[in-house]
Amino acid sequence: MSAPLLEVRGLTKRFGGLTANEDVGFTLREGEIMGLIGPNGAGKTTVFNALAGFFPPTSGTILLDGAPVEGLPPEAIAARGVARTFQIVRIFRSMTVLENVMVGAMLRHRAVPKAAVVARETLDFTGLGRRAHDPAAQLTVAEQKRLELTRALATGPRLLLLDEVMAGLTASEVQEAVELVKRIRDRGIACVVVEHVMEGIMPIADRMVVLENGRKIAEGPPAAISVDPNVIRAYLGEGYLAPGP
Amino acid sequence: MRRGGTALALLGLAAAVAFPLLTTRVTWQNAAILMMMTAQLGVAWNILGGYAGQVSLGHAAFFGAGAYVSTLLSVKLGVSPWLGMGAGAVVAAGLGVLVGTPCFRLKGHYFAMATIAVGEIVQALVNGSDALGGAVGFNLPLGETGFWGFVFNRSKLPYYYIALGLLLATVGVNWIVNRSHVGYYLRAIKDEPDAARSLGVSLTRYKMIAMILSAGLTAMGGTLYAQKELFIDPGSTLSTSLSIKIALVAILGGAGTLWGPVLGAVVLTAIEEATRIAFGGTGRGTDLVVYGALLVVIAVFQPSGIAGLFTRRAPRPPAPPEPEARFP
Ligand SMILES: Nc1ncnc2c1ncn2[C@@H]1O[C@H](COP(=O)(O)OP(=O)(O)OP(=O)(O)O)[C@@H](O)[C@H]1O
Ligand SMILES: [Mg+2]
């Protein structure tokens, strides 16, 4: 039995006196979709920052394919196949859409023409192909979020960390995003999806992890999470039910 | 658009090659040499300050390294300044690594301020060192030596074509960098460093590549200056006002564009000559006043520089709002 793709154990992160994550643990298998939810300030983005190497955890272990990676810088984590998006978009505003994605593709393809081909394919996959030659700064917010996702995908990751890519989208845009995440999973890429939009995460997650005040308060399949009394109290509000089977 | 640009560049090149054959007036030739040397410095600065967005106000240290290393080697050891040019570039690149290692951690204005300090320190060190000529500097021997000795006084033409060659080589390096993955990475670092890192870009590594190229090419300009003037001292090769001028050339013309610094050099040299005529004397005292005034004008009216006037800019929508009201 090989090691899981990602294993997080006892992850704790303090900022001065504030504990943003406390003893968080979970595992993720190849090609799995995990939802990571919790109220504002629960510590979801902090988990992402630690996983992606943006700061070392105060304590705890992060194993990628069984090898510890906590404390490695973001560029080293990226090289090991972890890609992320940012909650507040950080696209390269002086570049075109295609160039943005090329920067991602260059992680595996240094030659510019090859990177352009890969970037173009990835844009077609995510449905942004027709915007390829527009300045990235001209995209709508929804498109900018999709661009960030495309750029992350172009690095050829095995694990994708998506931080609220569906926030601010219309209902039909959320449906498109849901379909896209499924197609990404079908490529064998595991995803951790941080989302407040429940319609966006409940139907696709294999498993959910719920944070509150930095601690994990529940873990399980979406259907069980949506009726978990702890979760309902902490976050979901009375009476929420998971859509469909 | 792109084809038009190539045609324009070829036309400019033809004009530059033919220029000294059209005018025999030494003042004109001299002004053209000065212009190309200034442009070369701006283009070299642009790799670090323009593409990578690391605004250095200490580039005179690299220029001085080039001028001093080649001069010391030729005056004391009789080494050809052409070899000295290479040695100066290597020394400047090494100095660049020394400067970059601590300073690249600094953001924005703090990086610029740190590089001013580096420039001042290097100037103070040379000023205080007898072995390096102190405040007096060095006179280089005047005799015509031919190509290998890099001293020409029968005609300005050799300097003219060397300056042109060095400018073209520097533009060529920029062009190659710009089209390779390094250029994309530098622009990514300038736009969004954290996003660049998340895509596997090592900030220190690529800033350092930009620093090494920029410092080395700037030093080559320093050697050319020493061989043309045949006199160097800290005031003319290591001053902060020179550092500011180098940055200004690129920013005025259009930082982060291939030809912007060349445009900037043409305009700045013209302005300097005009003020020299208007105010008389060497114009040295008025330099900083002119630079300061120009910087204010650029900052207020045309942040993208002269080159920005020629590129159609798509109107930028306001930055996207923070993710708004959410569930629940
Ligand atoms: N770099 C930082 N320095 C100091 N405090 C931080 C930092 N990053 C996050 N925090 C704090 O840690 C806590 C968790 O923040 P985090 O951004 O992880 O929450 P979140 O679950 O992503 O919330 P949201 O749903 O609003 O995005 C918050 O109290 C936040 O203020
Ligand atoms: Mg967050």
Side-chain angles (χ1 to χ4, degrees), chain A residues 49 51-56 71-86 90-92 95 100 103-104 106-108 110 148 151-152 155, chain B residues 104-105 107 184-207:
Chain A
N49 281 331
L51 291 180
F54 277 79
F55 43 58
L72 289 183
E75 52 271 24
I77 301 278
R80 284 164 193 242
V82 179
R84 71 171 298 182
T85 67
F86 293 87
R90 295 194 181 164
I91 54 166
F92 305 128
M95 301 186 193
N100 264 268
V103 173
M106 282 169 184
L107 179 60
R108 315 274 174 218
R110 286 283 197 258
E148 266 208 355
R151 191 177 66 181
T155 64
Chain B
F104 280 149
R105 291 163 206 270
K107 298 212 161 100
Y184 285 79
Y185 276 5
L186 294 180
R187 277 173 276 143
I189 289 171
K190 180 181 181 178
D191 277 5
E192 285 289 350
D194 279 344
R197 297 188 85 187
S198 78
L199 301 170
V201 180
S202 159
L203 302 189
T204 36
R205 175 165 183 197
Y206 285 93
K207 286 180 190 176

Side-chain angles (χ1 to χ4, degrees), chain A residues 15 18 20 38-47 55 87 164 196, chain B residues 326:
Chain A
F15 297 108
L18 187 138
N40 290 143
K44 307 177 294 294
T45 299
T46 304
V47 169
F55 43 58
Q87 184 170 349
E164 301 203 22
H196 285 282
Chain B
R326 311 165 179 135

Side-chain angles (χ1 to χ4, degrees), chain A:
Chain A
M1 174 84 212
S2 63
L5 176 61
L6 174 70
E7 184 172 356
V8 177
R9 278 195 229 133
L11 180 67
T12 299
K13 179 68 193 178
R14 294 199 181 86
F15 297 108
L18 187 138
T19 304
N21 287 153
E22 176 134 39
D23 195 25
V24 175
F26 55 85
T27 61
L28 194 70
R29 287 183 301 277
E30 208 99 30
E32 201 180 9
I33 298 179
M34 189 185 105
L36 181 60
I37 63 169
N40 290 143
K44 307 177 294 294
T45 299
T46 304
V47 169
F48 272 18
N49 281 331
L51 291 180
F54 277 79
F55 43 58
T58 307
S59 63
T61 323
I62 301 167
L63 301 172
L64 208 58
D65 291 319
V69 295
E70 70 274 359
L72 289 183
E75 52 271 24
I77 301 278
R80 284 164 193 242
V82 179
R84 71 171 298 182
T85 67
F86 293 87
Q87 184 170 349
I88 297 163
V89 286
R90 295 194 181 164
I91 54 166
F92 305 128
R93 302 185 73 84
S94 71
M95 301 186 193
T96 65
V97 169
L98 182 71
E99 288 168 336
N100 264 268
V101 183
M102 284 169 68
V103 173
M106 282 169 184
L107 179 60
R108 315 274 174 218
H109 311 283
R110 286 283 197 258
V112 173
K114 175 68 180 166
V117 170
V118 171
R120 184 69 219 206
E121 284 169 5
T122 316
L123 280 166
D124 289 337
F125 177 78
T126 61
L128 267 182
R130 69 196 167 78
R131 299 289 250 151
H133 297 292
D134 293 337
Q138 279 183 1
L139 299 185
T140 65
V141 177
E143 287 171 323
Q144 291 188 6
K145 294 210 159 204
R146 189 170 287 224
L147 172 57
E148 266 208 355
L149 192 158
T150 313
R151 191 177 66 181
L153 202 54
T155 64
R158 299 166 59 214
L159 170 59
L160 196 53
L161 310 174
L162 303 177
D163 200 347
E164 301 203 22
V165 289
M166 302 179 194
L169 302 195
T170 65
S172 68
E173 285 169 342
V174 167
Q175 277 319 305
E176 280 175 39
V178 164
E179 291 310 312
L180 178 56
V181 174
K182 279 194 206 160
R183 284 192 292 129
I184 290 170
R185 188 256 323 271
D186 292 345
R187 285 184 156 193
I189 298 167
C191 300
V192 181
V193 183
V194 164
E195 218 32 90
H196 285 282
V197 180
M198 289 303 127
E199 300 74 18
I201 181 62
M202 286 291 189
I204 48 173
D206 298 304
R207 209 150 38 82
M208 304 282 285
V209 166
V210 187
L211 297 184
E212 186 192 18
N213 293 328
R215 292 179 161 277
K216 184 170 89 174
I217 57 163
E219 176 168 5
I225 288 298
S226 63
V227 295
D228 185 311
N230 267 335
V231 177
I232 292 171
R233 177 193 50 72
Y235 180 57
L236 289 174
E238 298 295 326
Y240 183 88
L241 291 171

Side-chain angles (χ1 to χ4, degrees), chain B residues 111-183:
Chain B
F111 177 81
M113 283 159 65
T115 55
I116 294 180
V118 168
E120 288 287 340
I121 290 167
V122 171
Q123 189 181 354
L125 287 176
V126 174
N127 251 320
S129 160
D130 289 339
L132 298 177
V136 180
F138 288 102
N139 280 300
L140 282 81
L142 288 173
E144 170 93 23
T145 60
F147 181 79
W148 193 236
F150 209 143
V151 178
F152 313 94
N153 44 28
R154 271 185 239 120
S155 150
K156 290 281 172 201
L157 283 191
Y159 289 122
Y160 182 93
Y161 286 111
I162 291 168
L164 179 60
L166 186 58
L167 172 58
L168 289 177
T170 308
V171 170
V173 169
N174 268 33
W175 187 79
I176 291 167
V177 166
N178 206 10
R179 289 172 57 98
S180 75
H181 78 278
V182 178

